[in-house]
Structure formats: structure tokens, C-alpha cells
Amino acid sequence: MSTTTYDAQASSRGRKKVTVLDLRNKKQHNEIISMLTAYDYPTALAIDQAGIDVILVGDSLGMVVLGYANTLPVTMEDMLHHCKAVARGAQTALLVGDMPFMSYQTSSMEAVRNAGRFLQEAGMDAIKLEGGSERREAIQAIIEAGIPVMGHLGLTPQSVNQFGGFRPQGRTAQAARRLLQDALLLQELGCFSLVLESVPARLSSYISERLDIPTIGIGAGAGCDGQVLVSHDLLGLFERFTPRFVKKYADLHGEMLRAFQAYMQDVETLAFPAEEHTVEMPENEWQAFLAETSA
Ligand code: KIV
């Protein structure tokens, strides 16, 4: 029996499932790729209905949903749980699951096994992982297993302790050269796309022009082949810290606060629940109940 919900079916109407080939075609036709993060069913529904190309279940989950200071504590089980919810909501966007810290760094075999779980158990179409040449073997093994891989270079948050904080990357000639070499390597290994995070705009434009595979930028300027944002940042849901490169399209934290305060006031003043929110029983049944209980 299909577990697809009514809403999810509705969202898929009018759009074919987006594939990794569609992203490559978009680049070839100079069409910009849109990507957003999601971690739950209702957000996935809305992003899918909006027509966004790619949904990333990012390990930013750790910071914007689970309240950790960085992405390092996020586990495979955390990721799979949220990927499953997103997969139930999104029927047409390409779904990418983010491999968490320590799920691909210890051995290629473990990397393949964990990458496989995103597709086999959690309904993802592809995985993303962070790093360049130091991840060559893991990336190669995952791709050889038939799993599409999105790379991630620049500010790779799982290396926050190595970087000494969330700092832009590739700002010296040497660092820029290393980034370009890593980007070319990821393409050669067979990655279908590449996230560039917190990289100087002219460097990401240069890399995007040199590559056949599409680049997706975050804090990397307008010269990438696509853009991604963390949806909680875009919606103004995550108040703790907003990076400079985020554009806020809503103030949902403010909206939540207003709604919660209005509810509290209604409860305290007995304005809620009103008659229309209340279930009643027929008068004769009530009278019968009173007669029986007081007899
Ligand atoms: O985890 C995440 O949300 C990401 C994006 C910022 C690209 O990796």
C-alpha cells in the first residue's frame, strides 16, 4: 500500500521528478538551480509545492532544529529520522541527504554503508559530504556503489575546529588554488554537483566557469550555477545567529512570538476556547446524565 499522503500527491502534480541530469541540463542552458534545506514534513511540502529544484536535508539540522552550537553532534540516526519526514512531504524535488560528522571519515566501507542508508531507508536520491582530496577514497567508493554524490567545499562546518571558527575560505592565492584543484578533483571523481560555502565571489565564479558540473553557492556570490540557503535563516526562524550572506524573507520567529502571546492572553482572559471551538452534547442527553449521576 502506498504511504504517499494526499498533500504530497497534490504537490507532485504538474512537475516531473527532478534528477541529477536535470541539474546538469540547467547549467548547460544557463538556468539557475534553486536549493533549500528542510528537516520536516510540512516544510518539505511547501518547498516542493513552490517548485524548488533541490531539497537538502542538511546537518545544519543540529544547529537550527536541535539547538547544538555546531553540526558535530549530529548522528546518522538524527539525519535518517529527518530525511524520512522530508521524503514523505516532497515528491518532485531532488532530495539530498547530508552525511553527518564521522559517518564517512573512518573508512570507505563505512562511508558506503552509511551513504546507502540515506537511499535505502530514508528516501533520499543522493548524498552530500564535505571535503576535497582528503575524501577522495570515500567519494570514489560511494559513487562506485551507484550513489550520486554532491560535494561541499569552502567553509565546511564539520571542520569548524580545524578552521578556528566559521570563517570564509579561499581568500589567499594559495587557498584559492587548493579550492580550485579540489573542485576539479570532485568533478573528475564523478560528483554531480558541488556546494561552495563562504568563498570569495570571484573565485566561485571562476570555479563555476571551469566546471561542467553545477556549483551551488551559499555566501559565494551570484556567479554560481545555483543558490542554497538554510530555510530557517530565510524564514527568520533561527534567531541565535544569522550569517551576513542570508537574506530574510520572513520573520517567523516574530510571528510565533506574537501568536504564542496572543494565545496566552486569550487563555488567561477566557477568550479561548469560544463557542465555535467547543463540542456540546444534546440537551436531553445532558439532562439524562445529570439525573443518573445525581440519583
Ligand atoms: O547543512 C547544511 O545545511 C548545508 C548547507 C548550508 C549547504 O550544508
Side-chain angles (χ1 to χ4, degrees), residues 1-226:
M1 192 186 84
S2 167
T3 53
T4 307
T5 65
Y6 173 79
D7 278 341
Q9 285 167 355
S11 78
S12 68
R13 259 184 245 134
R15 181 163 80 148
K16 283 208 331 251
K17 175 76 184 170
V18 179
T19 68
V20 296
L21 285 181
D22 293 324
L23 301 195
R24 180 72 83 104
N25 284 337
K26 276 201 141 185
K27 172 158 181 150
Q28 280 166 356
H29 292 94
N30 289 322
E31 291 171 29
I32 302 294
I33 296 162
S34 55
M35 176 160 121
L36 278 176
T37 66
Y39 318 95
D40 59 46
Y41 172 76
T43 311
L45 267 181
I47 293 177
D48 204 51
Q49 283 176 9
I52 298 286
D53 295 310
V54 186
I55 296 181
L56 169 69
V57 186
D59 66 349
S60 49
L61 165 79
M63 298 175 77
V64 300
V65 175
L66 303 179
Y68 296 129
N70 55 47
T71 59
L72 302 184
V74 177
T75 64
M76 273 299 294
E77 300 314 317
D78 290 334
M79 289 306 302
L80 294 175
H81 179 72
H82 287 269
C83 284
K84 286 177 195 175
V86 166
R88 287 191 284 268
Q91 297 300 300
T92 56
L94 181 77
L95 301 180
V96 181
D98 210 2
M99 295 195 70
F101 184 53
M102 281 299 130
S103 67
Y104 56 97
Q105 286 90 343
T106 51
S107 75
S108 297
M109 200 191 291
E110 200 171 350
V112 174
R113 206 170 279 140
N114 282 324
R117 294 187 69 192
F118 280 92
L119 275 66
Q120 198 165 41
E121 298 175 33
M124 296 290 105
D125 304 309
I127 61 96
K128 175 172 87 58
L129 56 77
E130 299 179 5
S133 57
E134 72 280 16
R135 300 289 158 241
R136 172 198 276 269
E137 282 160 23
I139 292 171
Q140 212 159 18
I142 295 170
I143 291 173
E144 274 170 17
I147 299 166
V149 175
M150 175 180 275
H152 185 161
L153 296 174
L155 170 51
T156 45
Q158 291 174 18
S159 303
V160 61
N161 290 331
Q162 243 171 4
F163 294 148
F166 293 99
R167 298 170 187 285
Q169 299 296 308
R171 297 181 77 193
T172 64
Q174 191 189 19
R177 211 173 317 115
R178 212 176 319 121
L179 236 157
L180 172 64
Q181 279 164 1
D182 274 343
L184 291 167
L185 174 69
L186 293 189
Q187 169 169 276
E188 191 187 312
L189 292 176
C191 289
F192 70 90
S193 173
L194 177 60
V195 168
L196 293 173
E197 178 166 353
S198 275
V199 169
R202 56 180 138 184
L203 176 60
S204 47
S205 288
Y206 184 88
I207 292 174
S208 303
E209 279 167 27
R210 287 285 305 270
L211 294 181
D212 296 324
I213 60 171
T215 59
I216 314 281
I218 174 161
C224 293
D225 304 304

